[in-house]
Amino acid sequence: MAVITLPYKYLERLTRTDRKMILDKVAFIGSDVERIEEDHADVEFFPDRPDLFSPEGVARVMRGYLGIETGLSSYPVKPSGIKFTIDPALANIRPVLGAAVIRGVSFDDESIQSIMSLQESLHWAVGRGRSKVAIGIHDMDTVKPPFHYIASRPSRGFIPLDFKEKMTMTEILEKHPKGRDYAKLVKDFPLYPLIVDDDDHVLSFPPIINGERTRVTIDTKNILLDTTGTDKRAVSVAVNIICTAMAEAGAKIESVDIGGVQTPTLSPAERTVSVQECSRLLGIGLTATSMSELLRKMRFGAEPAGADTVNVQVPCYRADIMHDWDLFEDVAIAYGYDRLESQPPKTFTVGKPHPVQVNAALAREAFSGLGYLEVMPFTLTNEDVLYKKMQRDEKKGVLRVMHPISIENTVVRTELLPLLLEFLTLNRHRELPQRLFTVGDVVDSCLTYQQAAGVSTHPDADFSEAYASADAMLHELSIEYTVKESADAAFIEGRRGDIISGGKKIGVFGEIHPTVLNAFELEHSVAAFEFDLRAVPGYPVL
Amino acid sequence: MAELTQNEKRLLAILEKEKKADAPHLAGLLDATPEAVVQWAHLAQDNGFALVERVVAKEFVYTDEGKNYLKNGLPETQLFRFILPGTTLADLQKHEAFKIGFGQLRKKGLVKVNGAFVEKVLHITDDDTIQKDTDLNRGNDYGAPMDADEAAIRNPSADNPRTKELIKRGILQESETVRYTIAITPAGLALVKQGLDLRGESGTLTRDQIISGEWKNLNLRKYDVSKLPKKAYPGKIHPYQRIIGEMREILLEMGFTELYGGIVQQSYWNFDALFQPQDHPAREMQDTFYLNETLPLPPGYEKVKAMHESGGETSSTGWGGIWKEEKAEQCVLRTHTTSVSIQYLANNPNPPVKAFCVGRVYRRETIDTTHLAEFEQLEGIVMDENVSFGNLLGILREFYNRMGFESVRFKPSFYPYTEPSLDAEVYVDGIGWIEMGGAGVFREEVTAPLDINYPVLAWGLGVSRIAMLRLGLKDLRYLHKSDVAFLRETPSLRPNKGGI
């Protein structure tokens, strides 16, 4: 999520209305107002709308939404006559380049801050941490065109931003804070991307750092924008968003010749959409005229083209419009979610619970009848609890998560009983007897199924109680079973039984072994049992 | 007035004759311990029929040392008697009382050492240390010399500072004795005059008594109904499970089919089939629990691949780039139950489908009071001809209304696999608008590759958020690491106040 700082004065000037009006309505276009401060508000926008990551972008859409200025914003672009060459050696390194010349900017500390934070937000939302897109802005008047995007030896040096001494690119990756952060994006290549001017002065080492030489200050009047990356569409979106934001602030945009192509054009994309399809999707009656109006309110160009068709011009900064339905969402937003007719669908259907949940509910009912209290342990646990404390061997189908958040959450549970013993530890200070149960998912490799387990602790808890409770549960769930002497080390020898059903071991019961009680720091005997709910007749095959 | 117990009645019957007596005496008459009598008397006092008086008496008892001194005189007295004219210090040192007694004698100024000899000092001090030298010399009726300490040991009293001195010297010990005197009140007397049923009480009714008719003659013990004798704790369903159950029931009532699916899912079903781009931040290792397992891709995955790369045959552009099979084969702990519903839709592409799923989902989050790495998600889907975004709002409104939330509102939102998308908020008195969950219409990029040809309305909600509000929890972990006392004390039925 991107939280954007909106200074009121600047925003009011750009939007041409007062802050109250803007802040009251900004949530209706899809945002959360995080903080309202004396001179600015912090507003969070969704990652699919990077065009709203600047006050200029917010003002543009709010003017439309509030009816101050609707329809497409057009951004004239004239050729700067400046050329940019691309070194073919970059093809497998960082092949895509976008660029523009932005003239007549007037910066103050606040607007420099604003463009920097737009740049950072774009690095995150569009650039995926600079891997897809990295943006550099330079003071145009410090460099000499044409410019060259080249693959350079890492031993080449220049003075990076915020440093005083010349460093090689290798050194930058090791010593410069940005170098360390983003080294992984280039360090495995034999040559590194570099942008230089015609005098061979370094502008930037994308996607890592700019040169100090071209630093943008409040005195900067003209900007050269470079945008490099691995994804053509993402690079062009970033260029468009920055250029149009700067144009909203009053700058003039000029294109650059990159390999014979003038970029950017800032021209809209065309889409022809169906009014009927939109009406059906949203559940509102629209005409080509009303739909066009709603789209213009969201700053699209839109003209009816027949009864069922609207021709839409999608502004170049709207990276999120991939599909016609993306436009229909804007229609809904312009219409107002609160005005949409909200009726449940009329089709008749019958509710049906899932057999696994029906079984689980029956097990809960029977456990409750036996005086057992339900607990709902976590499903992430660790080998120590599941196996070591239980004196059991690790299960073959245990799943380890690859990057656990802590040593306590390393595996997905393969049984429930150890987690119930953990609960008894947690509740040692509470009144006895304590009878606890749980019913829930366990895994065996990639397969999920349900088990049920119960524990009873009090000074007289014994084998007979475990047997009786297990028997009652199995009986209530219509599981036919026999019992065989068990070898489960979690229980006391001679006081443990394996539950056999359908020729397979489906569970175990007995009196917990004192070593296990000690391991869980329990002081009273525990009668316990656990069984596999797949033994319930009719348990679905998943 | 509470019913009198049998014992109270017996006590009052005795007191009618005794009027006032101390507890041990009454205990003898009632064949009970004094403690029991006092307890009954207090009960009778609560009812206004008796008066219990508590008398605290201070007593002094002799330590073993004290007992010895009482018989033989204090050590200084013993020494004093031993001293005769011409007694040397060496002689005196041989006396068994010398160690303690000599210091006391010097302190009291009764002796002085003159060269090798010890001599008595005969004088009368103003604080009466020596009553009379002659007494000390001569001894008295007890056969021992008498000073103030000697008097105090014989007759200890709380007012005498000497007694305190003896306590300090470990000769005497102070002890308190509490005695109870019990008297009958006029109301008690009046009650006894009316006549008391003094038949023996029965605690339990036996089978024989019921069958034989003997029960007619029994005086069954009556209980104080204002006091709960013992708490009973029923076995019951977890309050959180109950909330989940309530939601399930609402959805079943609304005609939804329940789904159940595995917690381990292939990235393909968890992300790719939902048009989540392969480089989406939510798919990174720091947000999702990956497992060292892979599963083969299902037939027809090529359409999903085409959708990601170029938008397939729809009006979509797709994400561009190359879609990698290996990434989709990777297994994860499901990050949402949508991975279950999308598979259900792929297997049941004919309308209408109305289904829901409640289950544990996993996010690789740092655990704190409001964030868990695993939590329950409830998700519903509706697929039908001609269902609209407006219908989705209608379903959500209906669901939240049934949960007890009267005011529901919607605002635009963003989810990668729905378009349009929304967030639902409900109004809770005293808190305000609370975000409950997200919803939207599945993108065509999701449905088209799976041959789902009708719009799918989908919505999800975090069950634990409602549970936290309803159960007044400050820490989400409490749902899963619960205190048994909390589970016992949380009633099965909690009145629903505006959803909370």
Side-chain angles (χ1 to χ4, degrees):
Chain A
M1 289 290 173
V3 177
I4 307 304
T5 297
L6 301 173
Y8 297 139
K9 276 199 190 135
Y10 188 47
L11 185 68
E12 284 177 338
R13 183 157 63 81
L14 289 168
T15 314
R16 307 200 288 272
T17 186
D18 64 275
R19 68 191 72 170
K20 187 175 180 313
M21 184 68 113
I22 302 167
L23 292 176
D24 280 355
K25 298 286 183 190
V26 73
F28 292 97
I29 61 157
S31 71
D32 278 315
V33 178
E34 294 273 303
R35 269 179 300 278
I36 300 216
E37 303 287 350
E38 202 167 307
D39 60 341
H40 72 275
D42 291 331
V43 183
E44 184 173 38
F45 291 95
F46 295 111
D48 65 326
R49 291 295 303 273
D51 59 302
L52 299 179
F53 293 175
S54 67
E56 295 84 1
V58 175
R60 176 172 56 207
V61 73
M62 288 312 291
R63 286 201 304 273
Y65 190 76
L66 297 171
I68 296 163
E69 176 190 286
T70 62
L72 192 74
S73 277
S74 55
Y75 303 102
V77 179
K78 80 175 192 207
S80 62
I82 292 170
K83 275 193 178 178
F84 229 124
T85 64
I86 303 186
D87 185 342
L90 286 161
N92 293 316
I93 302 172
R94 200 169 176 84
V96 186
L97 174 73
V101 173
I102 303 164
R103 291 203 187 271
V105 298
S106 60
F107 279 129
D108 54 24
D109 289 341
E110 211 163 51
S111 51
I112 287 196
Q113 194 50 47
S114 161
I115 183 88
M116 295 298 169
S117 72
L118 170 60
Q119 199 182 334
E120 278 317 305
S121 302
L122 291 174
H123 278 154
W124 166 76
V126 182
R128 299 275 192 254
R130 302 195 187 187
S131 67
K132 271 171 111 168
V133 177
I135 303 156
I137 58 170
H138 311 277
D139 188 329
M140 179 76 189
D141 302 321
T142 62
V143 286
K144 186 180 161 203
F147 304 108
H148 311 283
Y149 180 31
I150 58 170
S152 162
R153 264 192 299 279
S155 55
R156 175 157 183 186
F158 68 99
I159 304 172
L161 206 59
D162 299 328
F163 272 65
K164 290 201 168 60
E165 285 100 45
K166 197 167 168 175
M167 291 164 86
T168 67
M169 289 194 276
T170 309
E171 284 169 339
I172 288 172
L173 295 189
E174 283 162 9
K175 290 176 193 152
H176 196 284
K178 295 287 177 204
R180 284 197 297 264
D181 287 353
Y182 298 101
K184 64 172 193 293
L185 300 175
V186 292
K187 71 174 173 15
D188 293 336
F189 295 114
L191 300 174
Y192 294 167
L194 198 69
I195 296 175
V196 293
D197 74 357
D198 211 41
D199 290 337
D200 214 24
H201 288 127
V202 173
L203 277 71
S204 75
F205 167 22
I208 314 294
I209 189 76
N210 281 359
E212 177 65 30
R213 185 187 166 83
T214 60
R215 173 189 281 279
V216 171
T217 67
I218 49 171
D219 301 323
T220 300
K221 296 288 167 248
N222 303 304
I223 283 177
L224 174 72
L225 169 73
D226 82 66
T227 310
T228 61
T230 54
D231 184 291
K232 207 167 174 183
R233 187 157 61 182
V235 166
S236 121
V237 161
V239 170
N240 293 347
I241 287 173
I242 292 185
C243 287
T244 59
M246 298 301 286
E248 289 287 341
K252 299 271 174 277
I253 311 299
E254 293 178 5
S255 62
V256 176
D257 175 330
I258 300 177
V261 180
Q262 285 294 322
T263 171
T265 64
L266 304 186
S267 55
E270 306 281 338
R271 253 179 204 273
T272 305
V273 294
S274 155
V275 180
Q276 214 192 348
E277 192 186 347
C278 181
S279 297
R280 265 212 311 266
L281 180 70
L282 301 182
I284 46 175
L286 292 168
T287 62
T289 312
S290 64
M291 187 173 158
S292 302
E293 246 169 61
L294 291 168
L295 283 166
R296 283 198 296 271
K297 196 172 157 184
M298 300 305 285
R299 308 309 309 266
F300 294 95
E303 290 302 330
D308 182 47
T309 311
V310 173
N311 285 337
V312 186
Q313 291 174 296
V314 180
C316 63
Y317 53 82
R318 284 299 298 267
D320 60 311
I321 308 295
M322 299 172 65
H323 186 277
D324 293 351
W325 288 14
D326 294 308
L327 289 172
F328 301 164
E329 180 179 69
D330 274 64
V331 172
I333 291 170
Y335 186 83
Y337 280 19
D338 50 343
R339 284 179 58 218
L340 289 168
E341 200 187 331
S342 57
Q343 287 295 324
K346 294 200 166 40
T347 312
F348 175 80
T349 52
V350 174
K352 202 175 110 204
H354 194 277
V356 165
Q357 304 290 19
V358 174
N359 289 344
L362 284 170
R364 286 189 184 101
E365 189 186 313
F367 267 122
S368 303
L370 288 169
Y372 283 68
L373 190 61
E374 185 176 26
V375 295
M376 300 173 77
F378 286 118
T379 55
L380 289 173
T381 178
N382 56 71
E383 293 96 330
D384 189 45
V385 171
L386 278 188
Y387 309 115
K388 212 172 140 207
K389 283 183 171 171
M390 296 294 285
Q391 308 199 86
R392 285 173 168 171
D393 293 334
E394 203 168 285
K395 260 213 176 151
K396 249 177 73 190
V398 64
L399 284 181
R400 270 180 197 79
V401 297
M402 284 166 74
H403 302 89
I405 31 173
S406 76
I407 52 162
E408 285 174 3
N409 305 287
T410 51
V411 301
V412 190
R413 66 190 185 190
T414 52
E415 41 260 306
L416 305 173
L417 191 50
L419 306 176
L420 289 182
L421 293 176
E422 245 191 335
F423 253 91
L424 293 180
T425 310
L426 197 70
N427 283 285
R428 272 178 307 192
H429 57 299
R430 295 296 178 201
E431 200 176 320
L432 297 180
Q434 283 177 24
R435 295 190 172 87
L436 307 179
F437 80 92
T438 188
V439 176
D441 290 345
V442 296
V443 299
D444 176 3
S445 238
C446 292
L447 183 73
T448 304
Y449 61 96
Q450 293 219 314
Q451 299 224 134
V455 289
S456 169
T457 187
H458 53 97
D460 303 320
D462 62 4
F463 174 78
S464 314
E465 183 183 346
Y467 203 156
S469 299
D471 171 72
M473 285 304 302
L474 294 161
H475 177 74
E476 289 304 317
L477 295 170
S478 282
I479 300 173
E480 288 189 16
Y481 74 98
T482 54
V483 174
K484 250 178 41 185
E485 184 110 355
S486 172
D488 190 333
F491 299 90
I492 299 172
E493 196 189 340
R495 297 183 176 203
R496 57 193 180 189
D498 283 343
I499 304 165
I500 312 291
S501 182
K504 272 194 316 211
K505 177 181 166 180
I506 62 145
V508 64
F509 66 85
E511 224 177 295
I512 296 292
H513 198 282
T515 315
V516 176
L517 295 180
N518 287 340
F520 283 97
E521 296 171 48
L522 296 173
E523 291 167 6
H524 294 285
S525 65
V526 176
F529 62 97
E530 170 155 17
F531 61 94
D532 186 337
L533 285 168
R534 285 177 298 183
V536 177
Y539 190 97
V541 180
L542 291 173
Chain B
M1 184 187 86
E3 205 45 64
L4 291 183
T5 64
Q6 176 70 7
N7 288 324
E8 279 172 84
K9 289 178 195 167
R10 286 173 61 217
L11 174 66
L12 289 176
I14 294 284
L15 277 177
E16 193 207 0
K17 296 177 203 99
E18 300 281 328
K19 302 295 186 272
K20 181 170 182 177
D22 65 1
H25 174 68
L26 291 169
L29 294 173
L30 286 163
D31 192 19
T33 62
E35 291 76 26
V37 170
V38 171
Q39 196 194 343
W40 305 340
H42 274 120
L43 289 172
Q45 177 171 265
D46 291 345
N47 287 318
F49 299 130
L51 269 179
V52 184
E53 203 185 336
R54 186 173 183 267
V55 186
V56 182
K58 273 198 179 155
E59 272 185 0
F60 296 96
V61 294
Y62 297 96
T63 61
D64 288 344
E65 195 184 351
K67 281 178 194 154
N68 175 22
Y69 297 159
L70 186 66
K71 208 169 105 205
N72 301 321
L74 289 165
E76 59 269 36
T77 312
Q78 293 178 34
L79 283 186
F80 198 80
R81 275 184 304 201
F82 182 76
I83 299 167
L84 296 168
T87 303
T88 63
L89 186 59
D91 293 335
L92 202 58
Q93 275 168 344
K94 285 176 197 142
H95 194 283
E96 60 172 9
F98 179 82
K99 254 193 180 156
I100 306 169
F102 193 66
Q104 289 289 339
L105 277 181
R106 305 259 303 214
K107 207 169 114 194
K108 290 178 181 178
L110 291 172
V111 294
K112 64 174 188 213
V113 180
N114 192 356
F117 300 99
V118 184
E119 291 167 5
K120 291 182 182 174
V121 176
L122 301 179
H123 64 126
I124 300 165
T125 61
D126 51 16
D127 71 338
D128 209 17
T129 309
I130 305 169
Q131 278 188 328
K132 245 179 176 184
D133 55 330
T134 48
D135 276 353
L136 279 164
N137 268 324
R138 207 188 311 124
N140 57 16
D141 299 348
Y142 301 103
M146 190 68 181
D147 75 345
D149 284 337
E150 279 296 336
I153 195 172
R154 262 157 243 294
N155 201 359
S157 121
D159 319 324
N160 188 348
R162 294 277 121 210
T163 306
K164 258 184 214 145
E165 195 57 37
L166 294 177
I167 292 171
K168 252 192 237 161
R169 286 176 64 183
I171 294 167
L172 283 176
Q173 269 176 346
E174 202 174 10
S175 81
E176 272 188 359
T177 30
V178 179
R179 301 180 76 88
Y180 288 93
T181 317
I182 300 155
I184 192 160
T185 62
L189 273 175
L191 185 77
V192 179
K193 291 248 159 63
Q194 281 170 33
L196 293 169
D197 182 355
L198 290 172
R199 281 176 302 163
E201 273 184 341
S202 307
T204 46
L205 203 50
T206 66
R207 176 174 179 272
D208 283 347
Q209 289 163 344
I210 293 167
I211 293 170
S212 66
E214 197 195 328
W215 59 268
K216 289 175 195 154
N217 304 319
L218 291 178
N219 180 23
L220 278 175
R221 180 158 69 242
K222 292 177 174 149
Y223 289 94
D224 178 356
V225 296
S226 67
K227 291 188 181 72
L228 175 68
K230 187 183 186 308
K231 248 183 128 38
Y233 299 110
K236 57 182 175 179
I237 291 168
H238 195 292
Y240 185 35
Q241 184 61 45
R242 221 168 258 292
I243 292 167
I244 294 171
E246 180 188 336
M247 294 181 180
R248 285 183 65 234
E249 240 158 71
I250 289 172
L251 289 164
L252 291 170
E253 283 167 11
M254 286 169 69
F256 283 77
T257 298
E258 186 173 29
L259 309 179
Y260 173 81
I263 57 182
V264 179
Q265 295 286 346
Q266 223 178 359
S267 289
Y268 178 79
W269 288 116
N270 195 74
F271 298 122
D272 295 286
L274 294 165
F275 199 54
Q276 195 108 308
Q278 290 196 324
D279 65 351
H280 193 280
R283 296 184 69 154
E284 281 172 19
M285 295 284 183
Q286 63 255 39
D287 289 321
T288 297
F289 287 115
Y290 279 85
L291 302 163
N292 209 355
E293 305 275 331
T294 56
L295 286 171
L297 294 176
Y301 79 86
E302 298 85 356
K303 285 190 187 170
V304 170
K305 180 181 166 78
M307 181 57 73
H308 277 252
E309 290 178 349
S310 65
E313 288 156 19
T314 66
S315 70
S316 176
T317 56
W319 293 115
I322 305 292
W323 186 87
K324 296 190 179 101
E325 279 81 351
E326 326 68 275
K327 275 204 97 153
E329 284 169 354
Q330 275 269 301
C331 286
V332 298
L333 293 180
R334 66 183 178 201
T335 62
H336 45 202
T337 44
T338 321
S339 51
V340 175
S341 23
I342 190 66
Q343 287 175 76
Y344 183 77
L345 281 170
N347 295 327
N348 298 274
N350 297 321
V353 169
K354 269 169 77 179
F356 77 97
C357 182
V358 196
R360 198 75 53 103
V361 298
Y362 302 80
R363 306 272 165 93
R364 203 173 167 283
E365 292 223 44
T366 309
I367 300 173
D368 61 29
T369 53
T370 55
H371 295 90
L372 299 178
E374 49 177 306
F375 52 93
E376 262 68 28
Q377 191 188 39
L378 179 145
E379 196 195 58
I381 47 164
V382 173
M383 184 255 280
D384 200 0
E385 293 175 72
N386 300 321
V387 286
S388 68
F389 189 59
N391 292 141
L392 175 61
L393 270 53
I395 294 166
L396 287 169
R397 198 177 288 286
E398 179 69 28
F399 175 78
Y400 285 114
N401 285 167
R402 286 184 186 225
M403 284 296 294
F405 301 104
E406 281 165 23
S407 307
V408 186
R409 70 176 187 189
F410 307 104
K411 55 178 220 180
S413 187
F414 166 71
Y415 296 97
Y417 45 94
T418 57
E419 192 76 19
S421 307
L422 68 87
D423 281 329
E425 295 183 330
V426 299
Y427 190 80
V428 176
D429 275 340
I431 300 178
W433 289 99
I434 298 177
E435 201 175 300
M436 277 293 163
V441 185
F442 273 173
R443 299 186 70 99
E444 203 187 354
E445 289 95 329
V446 175
T447 53
L450 303 173
D451 297 320
I452 301 161
N453 299 317
Y454 303 95
V456 178
L457 315 179
W459 45 276
L461 101 113
V463 185
S464 55
R465 173 164 293 198
I466 291 182
M468 218 171 159
L469 285 169
R470 283 208 179 167
L471 300 172
L473 296 180
K474 293 203 165 57
D475 190 337
L476 265 180
R477 286 171 286 200
Y478 217 58
L479 293 174
H480 302 287
K481 284 193 180 289
S482 316
D483 187 330
V484 162
F486 159 75
L487 298 177
R488 284 173 171 164
E489 277 151 28
T490 306
S492 301
L493 177 85
R494 300 182 61 265
N496 187 323
K497 292 181 196 116
I500 298 303

